[in-house]
Amino acid sequence: MVSLKSSFIDSGSQKTKLLFTRRSLLPDYQNSLWQIDTGFVRTVTYQENGTTVALGLWGSGDIVGRTLSKLEPYQMECLTKVEARILPLEEWSDSTETLLAHIQQSEELMVIRSYKKVETMLLKLLAWLSQRFGLEVEKGRLIDMRLTHEDLADMIGSTRVTVTRILGQFEQEGLIDRQSLNRIIPREEDIWYYEI
């Protein structure tokens, strides 16, 4: 998988670094992108009926911006506190790598959403999140993104109530270990058995 880490380093760009609070939106500046230094951002669009469609999840080193999408509306929501810097298009040096990474993440999320059972989609999503963003801890890989049940439901096209029920089921079955602040540790070895 191609990483969205950019080799863009410019001392002048340090002046454009900004801090954003949880659930705030990154502004949509023309001819600019955002490079995330710390925190997590999700990109979303909305259907006519108001349903949220998650387009991607991005972390440290990743690049996001309207220029990378033709969807309308398009929003970049901070899932945590975020520190990001403005990346003018003329200074964007890794365009091919960034575009490939966006395509790959879209494909990965499409495959996750293609499963028929919500339980399988959610389990695959948790495994993907732990691989992509997880922190190694004693019990496995901790997903420390403070994703709400609604956030997880948006990612797989389900409802908050269904996700809450299934997470409880997964915890009872020992497939996940839930921590405070919506942090989850999927048990990778048990996920494989669940899929059979």
Side-chain angles (χ1 to χ4, degrees), residues 5-94:
K5 309 295 186 229
S6 172
S7 63
F8 170 78
I9 298 172
D10 177 27
S11 60
S13 69
Q14 296 297 323
K15 295 183 284 188
T16 58
K17 214 181 262 194
L18 298 171
L19 298 174
F20 298 91
T21 59
R22 176 173 157 78
R23 297 297 177 190
S24 64
L25 299 177
L26 294 179
D28 180 21
Y29 295 132
Q30 279 203 327
N31 300 317
S32 294
L33 297 166
W34 288 98
Q35 182 174 9
I36 302 165
D37 288 329
T38 61
F40 298 100
V41 172
R42 77 172 178 165
T43 51
V44 297
T45 190
Y46 298 94
Q47 295 176 336
E48 297 83 20
N49 65 2
T51 301
T52 301
V53 179
L55 303 172
L57 289 173
W58 314 101
S60 179
D62 292 341
I63 296 171
V64 296
R66 177 176 295 283
T67 303
L68 300 171
S69 176
K70 292 287 186 190
L71 294 174
E72 184 62 45
Y74 177 88
Q75 291 183 334
M76 299 165 284
E77 179 186 17
C78 299
L79 293 176
T80 61
K81 290 180 183 177
V82 170
E83 186 174 317
R85 67 181 101 176
I86 296 170
L87 176 59
L89 284 180
E90 64 270 6
E91 295 178 22
W92 183 29
S93 61
D94 289 338

Side-chain angles (χ1 to χ4, degrees), residues 121-181:
M121 280 191 280
L122 184 55
L123 206 53
K124 293 285 189 180
L125 177 64
L126 293 174
W128 180 79
L129 289 169
S130 73
Q131 288 302 311
R132 174 106 164 82
F133 301 107
L135 305 170
E136 199 66 44
V137 294
E138 185 178 318
K139 295 180 179 180
R141 294 185 62 81
L142 174 69
I143 303 169
D144 189 14
M145 299 175 72
R146 293 188 174 192
L147 294 169
T148 65
H149 295 184
E150 185 74 34
D151 293 334
L152 293 170
D154 290 345
M155 293 296 296
I156 60 172
S158 186
T159 65
R160 181 199 55 78
V161 172
T162 300
V163 166
T164 299
R165 178 182 55 78
I166 294 170
L167 286 174
Q169 174 188 327
F170 286 170
E171 190 171 27
Q172 285 179 346
E173 293 174 9
L175 294 171
I176 63 171
D177 182 22
R178 289 201 281 187
Q179 312 272 308
S180 62
L181 302 174

